[in-house]
Every structure is written in structure tokens, then in C-alpha cells.
């Protein structure tokens, strides 16, 4: 059973509606301090999906007009994507609405198809403006993203797919100069179901002449969400959520409103957190059908998870048993869940083998978990996690969004206090992680 997306919402009454302050694109958070030992109990609501909202924002570049995006998380990465859109010529602001503010994007008739290095180097997801800029303007200049803490993050599949639609590329002073006076639909077979490549090709193909078929497309729920918004804007996409996307090119598109799907990675963070501490929580808004494999794994570990009309009810005993966890493209276990699963397995009964099949370099936080007493051995893309009775709180460092959240999760069950430094990474993807945890019982402070 699945719960529906949050309903489309209208702005609050005119008397209270108005522009809200922009969340900072420079997070003021440096440390998250967790004192372990409190179980999680109560109800929380999951926010909108970061990985969907960022792409929906990029999609707005395809057509002039005003867009109202509902259920957008107020996180640093959204503030950075707003900066990218502004540098292209759009106006972006937040407007009060109930229960969460809406993001309003105004796209003018003339835009500057450039994504500058200063912004792209701060968050590489901005590469998804390449496809829509190319489709709308016939050209784009986007700074080449570098590697990151997951290791190298190439964009060869994005470029090959766009190339097959007719784009040509030049690498000039660290920027990709892409041009395509005319994009033409064709059959594109991706060698791997890359999320970003599927999105970039999709957002170019919607305005290409004729029909494009993307085979071996990524099937993540965030891509289905993007397809839904693109279709509302006038695109002709069939097969959303499947491995074959068929896109009939439109000559023109128009603006639209859209509500972002709930964030399955945020929901997974709270599932892992209650797995570590034990307790009983309800995660409002979480969609079981978007995280069925994770729920199955957690069930094998001893948790009880039951979907209801508006979320998930979760019961966790004080100690779970270990299972093996391979990451795979959707509907497999998401690589973004893996750091929480490793944190969880660090204290479960037995040994669990985690195999990371997407990002080879994604084990850096394991050294931090070892500082907390975790017994983990890594070898290339495997981690062998032997559960210990209890972790021991320690100063640790967040290397990326999910790794930082995983250290917080580990700290919730540890003895004493864990100080997660470089916590600005966490603010990139979580709206008020500390506040939402505190409301469920744990002792977490921000400094
Ligand atoms: C997106 C998500 C990220 C998630 C990942 C996999 C966003 C903002 N980020 O990242 O949180 O962990 O999907 O679910 O939505 N690859 C290539 N060449 C390419 C493109 C990708 O070799 O041109 C490789 C990558 O290095 C990686 C694999 O393909 O090994 C998957 O990457 P991809 O699905 O593209 O991830 P992202 O879109 O970058």
C-alpha cells in the first residue's frame, strides 16, 4: 500500500502571504552534538525530496513563466540552485504557505545559458541545467564539476546522450560549451541507468524534434516526479518510472505548478535512527512504495514497518540482527541509504556485508565510525561490519551530506557525547535534522 503525494496546496490567505527570507546558501551550522541513549518515540513529517526539487527547479528553465513549487525543502542545496537560476536571469523567492512555504520561480523570456564555476563547484547537481539550457537556448556554458568525496563523478554519459540528440561540445577553460541549433530525437541506450544522465537527456529531449527513446533509463522516483512536472509543462513523456522513456518532442512548453514528492532519503535516516535507539515512530508523508527494499531489509533485521494512509508506522526493538546490504540502482537499495545502514549495522547482532556498487569512494566516513569503536573492515567496494554492543561517543567529521547524517545516527546510540564537525554538509540536505530528532526524544544540539 502506498500513501499519496502531498496534495497540491494553495498559498495562505493574502493577509499572511508574502515573501519569506531566503535560507542561506552558506550554512551557519558547524557542529552537531549528540548525547546518545534516548530512544525515538513520536511522530515526525518528512520534507520534500532534495534530489527531486533540484531537478524540478532546473526544468523550469525550459519555458518562460511563473512556477510554484510546493513541498520544497529549505536546505542549502536548494538555496544554491536558486543562485544558479538567478545567475541565469530568473527571479526566485519563497512565499508563505501552509504547511510549508512554496518556492516561486519566475523565468523571463530571455535567459543567459551559463552556470558559473563558483556555483557548480559548490554543488555538482547543478550540472542538470545543461539539458534544459541547451534545449531552450540552443547553447549552454556550464562549468565542469570536479570530483567529490564519493570519488570521481564523470558526466560522459550525459554528454554522449546529448551528443546523440545533436549537441556538440567543446571544453574551454574548465567550462563545457555545448551547442545544438537543432536537437533531433533518436534512440539512446545508456550503458548504466545514471540518474543525472537520464535527467539531462530527458530535459533536452522534451524540446527535440521527433521522438526520443531512452533505454536503460534510471527508474528512481525522483525521475518519475520530474516526468510528471515536464508533462504538466506540455512534454510528451511515456514510461515514467520504467527503464524505457519515450519522449515525443514538443515545439513549445509552458510553466506549471508542482508538488515535490517526499524525501525517501530523509525518511530512511529516521528509520535507521529508530533502528539504532529502539522505539516507536510514525513518519508522516513517507512513501513505502519508494523505499520497499529498505523496509524489507529493516524487516529482516527485526523492525516492524507498516504503511498507512499518510506514512509509515515503525517499531524497533532495542537490538536488531545484521543482514547483508548491496546497493543498486532503484528499485534496489539506494547508495544514499548505505551510510545509515553501516551506522546501524555497527551495533546490530552479528556480521553484515555491505557492497557499494555505485560509488567506489563512498566509505570515507567508516574511519570516523571506527573512532567511535565500530568494528568495520573495508576492501574496495565492500565493508564487513561486525556489530558491537555499544559505540562510544567521539569527535568525528562529516565528509558529505549522508555521511554526516550517518554519524548523527551512530551518535544517537553511542555512550556519551558525539560531536559531528563540518556539519554544514548535513544542512545541504536536511531541514532541521536536530530539531526533528529532539522532538522525538534524542538530545541533539547545533552550534
Ligand atoms: C544522483 C543523486 C545521488 C545518488 C545517485 C545514485 C542527485 C542530486 N544526486 O547522483 O544522491 O547517490 O544519483 O542514486 O540526484 N556515471 C558515469 N558517467 C556519467 C554519469 C554517471 O560514469 O556520465 C557513474 C557515476 O560515477 C556513478 C554511477 O554512474 O558511479 C551512478 O551515478 P548517477 O546515477 O549519475 O548519480 P548522480 O546523478 O550523480
Amino acid at each position: 500500500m502506498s500513501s499519496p503525494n502531498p496534495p497540491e496546496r494553495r498559498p495562505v490567505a493574502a493577509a499572511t502571504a508574502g515573501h519569506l527570507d531566503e535560507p542561506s546558501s552558506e550554512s551557519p551550522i558547524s557542529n552537531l552534538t549528540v548525547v546518545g541513549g534516548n530512544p525515538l518515540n513520536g511522530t515526525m513529517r518528512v520534507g520534500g525530496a532534495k534530489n527531486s526539487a533540484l531537478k524540478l527547479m532546473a526544468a523550469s528553465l525550459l519555458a518562460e513563466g511563473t512556477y510554484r513549487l510546493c513541498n520544497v525543502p529549505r536546505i542549502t542545496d536548494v538555496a544554491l540552485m536558486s543562485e544558479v537560476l538567478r545567475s541565469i536571469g530568473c527571479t526566485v523567492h519563497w512565499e508563505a504557505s501552509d504547511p510549508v512555504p512554496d518556492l516561486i520561480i519566475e523565468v523571463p523570456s530571455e535567459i543567459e545559458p551559463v552556470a558559473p564555476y563558483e556555483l557548480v563547484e559548490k554543488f555538482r547537481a547543478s550540472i542538470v541545467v545543461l539539458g534544459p539550457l541547451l534545449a531552450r537556448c540552443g547553447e549552454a556554458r556550464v562549468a565542469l564539476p570536479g570530483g567529490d568525496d564519493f570519488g570521481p563523478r564523470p558526466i560522459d554519459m550525459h554528454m554522449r546522450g546529448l551528443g546523440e540528440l545533436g549537441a556538440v561540445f567543446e571544453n574551454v577553460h574548465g567550462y563545457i560549451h555545448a551547442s545544438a541549433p537543432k536537437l533531433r530525437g533518436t534512440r539512446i541506450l545508456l550503458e548504466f541507468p545514471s540518474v543525472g544522465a537520464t535527467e539531462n537527456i530527458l530535459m533536452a529531449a522534451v524540446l527535440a524534434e521527433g521522438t526520443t527513446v531512452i533505454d536503460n533509463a534510471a527508474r528512481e522516483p525522483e525521475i518519475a516526479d520530474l516526468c510528471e512536472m515536464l508533462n504538466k509543462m506540455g512534454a510528451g513523456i511515456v514510461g515514467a518510472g520504467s527503464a524505457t522513456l519515450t519522449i515525443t518532442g514538443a515545439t513549445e512548453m509552458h510553466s506549471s505548478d508542482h508538488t515535490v514528492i517526499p524525501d525517501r532519503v530523509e525518511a530512511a535516516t529516521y528509520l535507521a535512527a529508530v533502528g539504532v535507539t529502539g522505539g516507536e515512530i510514525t513518519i508522516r508523508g513517507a512513501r513505502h512504495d519508494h523505499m520497499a527494499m529498505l523496509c524489507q531489509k529493516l524487516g529482516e533485521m527485526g523492525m516492524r514497518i507498516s504503511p498507512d494512509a499518510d506514512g509509515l508506522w515503525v517499531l524497533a526493538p532495542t537490538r536488531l540482527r545484521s543482514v547483508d546490504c548491496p546497493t543498486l540502482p532503484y528499485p534496489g537499495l539506494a547508495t544514499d541509504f548505505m551510510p545509515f545502514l553501516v551506522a546501524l549495522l555497527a551495533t546490530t547482532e552479528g556480521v553484515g556485508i555491505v557492497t557499494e556498487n555505485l560509488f567506489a569512494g563512498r566509505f570515507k566516513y567508516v574511519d570516523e565510525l571506527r573512532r567511535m569503536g565500530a568494528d568495520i573492515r573495508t576492501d574496495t567496494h565492500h565493508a564487513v561490519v561486525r556489530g558491537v554492543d555499544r559505540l562510544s561517543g567521539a569527535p568525528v567529521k562529516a565528509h558529505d551530506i549522508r555521511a554526516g547524517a550517518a554519524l548523527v545516527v551512530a551518535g544517537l546510540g553511542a555512550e556519551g557525547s558525539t560531536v559531528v564537525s563540518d556539519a554544514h554538509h548535513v544542512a545541504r540536505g536536511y531541514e532541521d535534522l536536530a530539531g526533528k530528532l529532539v522532538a522525538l526524544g534524542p538530545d541533539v544540539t547545533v552550534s
Side-chain angles (χ1 to χ4, degrees):
M1 193 177 82
S2 68
S3 56
N5 282 343
E8 299 275 351
R9 286 166 297 102
R10 305 300 345 138
V12 294
T16 50
H19 291 209
L20 293 181
D21 286 346
E22 175 82 2
S24 173
S25 57
E26 302 286 344
S27 164
I29 301 178
S30 10
N31 295 320
L32 280 163
T33 302
V34 187
V35 182
N38 295 357
L40 264 69
N41 283 299
T43 299
M44 55 89 55
R45 177 163 285 280
V46 74
K50 168 181 89 74
N51 287 352
S52 192
L54 297 175
K55 321 308 169 60
L56 302 174
M57 292 172 75
S60 72
L61 294 169
L62 284 161
E64 178 188 355
T66 302
Y67 298 74
R68 176 178 296 274
L69 296 182
C70 308
N71 204 33
V72 175
R74 283 167 65 85
I75 52 177
T76 317
D77 270 13
V78 166
L80 285 167
M81 186 56 114
S82 301
E83 287 302 313
V84 172
L85 296 187
R86 287 188 189 109
S87 77
I88 290 170
C90 308
T91 307
V92 187
H93 69 267
W94 292 89
E95 215 171 88
S97 184
D98 185 32
V100 293
D102 295 338
L103 188 72
I104 313 295
I105 303 170
E106 284 164 50
V107 181
S109 56
E110 296 293 323
I111 55 175
E112 179 73 13
V114 180
Y117 177 69
E118 307 73 64
L119 293 170
V120 175
E121 63 106 17
K122 284 192 189 149
F123 92 123
R124 64 183 319 291
S126 51
I127 190 69
V128 290
V129 299
L130 180 60
L133 286 179
L134 197 54
R136 167 100 182 266
C137 307
E139 58 163 337
R141 278 167 285 143
V142 177
L144 270 166
D148 66 9
D149 278 316
F150 297 2
R153 304 277 297 262
I155 53 161
D156 54 315
M157 281 189 254
H158 303 228
M159 290 169 69
R160 194 174 316 137
L162 294 172
E164 288 175 41
L165 291 174
V168 291
F169 299 98
E170 247 188 305
N171 184 338
V172 185
H173 305 305
Y175 279 71
I176 313 168
H177 284 205
S179 59
K182 187 109 208 130
L183 291 170
R184 285 201 175 80
T186 186
R187 177 173 286 270
I188 295 166
L189 174 60
L190 292 178
E191 68 178 75
F192 183 87
S194 152
V195 170
T198 302
E199 291 163 339
N200 248 332
I201 297 165
L202 189 58
M203 286 192 273
V206 289
L207 281 177
E209 187 183 282
T211 302
T212 301
V213 176
I214 310 176
D215 265 330
N216 200 23
R219 291 183 280 164
E220 271 68 4
E222 293 75 21
I223 293 184
D225 200 25
L226 174 62
C227 290
E228 194 183 321
M229 166 145 156
L230 290 170
N231 279 345
K232 283 188 204 165
M233 292 169 64
I237 306 167
V238 175
S242 80
T244 304
L245 296 171
T246 305
I247 305 122
T248 308
T251 46
E252 217 181 323
M253 293 176 70
H254 51 82
S255 62
S256 125
D257 296 351
H258 190 72
T259 298
V260 181
I261 56 168
D263 197 319
R264 63 197 167 104
V265 191
E266 188 191 14
T269 313
Y270 290 87
L271 282 170
V274 72
V276 163
T277 64
E280 180 181 342
I281 62 169
T282 300
I283 309 179
R284 292 258 167 259
R287 284 187 53 166
H288 185 269
D289 59 330
H290 288 175
M291 43 203 313
M293 186 63 76
L294 177 69
C295 293
Q296 184 172 306
K297 278 284 164 196
L298 295 173
E300 286 168 25
M301 293 172 85
M303 279 168 71
R304 283 180 57 201
I305 302 174
S306 154
D308 67 20
D310 181 28
L312 294 176
W313 170 84
V314 190
L315 180 70
T318 40
R319 194 163 189 210
L320 302 174
R321 42 185 184 273
S322 305
V323 294
D324 294 341
C325 298
T327 68
L328 284 169
Y330 190 83
L333 267 185
T335 173
D336 289 347
F337 299 160
M338 199 259 294
F340 320 136
L341 288 171
V342 172
L344 181 55
L345 289 168
T347 55
T348 50
E349 180 97 50
V351 178
I353 299 176
V354 173
T355 306
E356 172 52 51
N357 291 309
L358 276 88
F359 294 106
R362 205 169 186 178
F363 278 131
K364 281 195 181 169
Y365 62 93
V366 165
D367 289 332
E368 305 296 317
L369 285 173
R370 283 196 195 103
R371 302 195 62 257
M372 299 175 69
D375 181 351
I376 307 173
R377 288 178 62 189
T378 52
D379 178 18
T380 58
H381 58 292
H382 298 290
V384 180
V385 191
R386 193 177 300 275
V388 298
D389 284 344
R390 189 119 198 235
L391 296 175
S392 161
V396 287
K397 190 179 278 194
H399 289 289
D400 68 58
I401 306 175
R402 308 304 170 192
L407 294 169
V408 172
V409 166
L412 294 172
E415 193 184 337
S417 160
T418 298
V419 181
V420 182
S421 60
D422 281 359
H424 59 273
H425 285 296
V426 177
R428 284 186 50 196
Y430 290 86
E431 188 173 340
D432 197 17
L433 178 64
K436 286 187 181 181
L437 283 170
V438 167
L440 295 171
D443 179 348
V444 185
T445 46
V446 169
S447 57

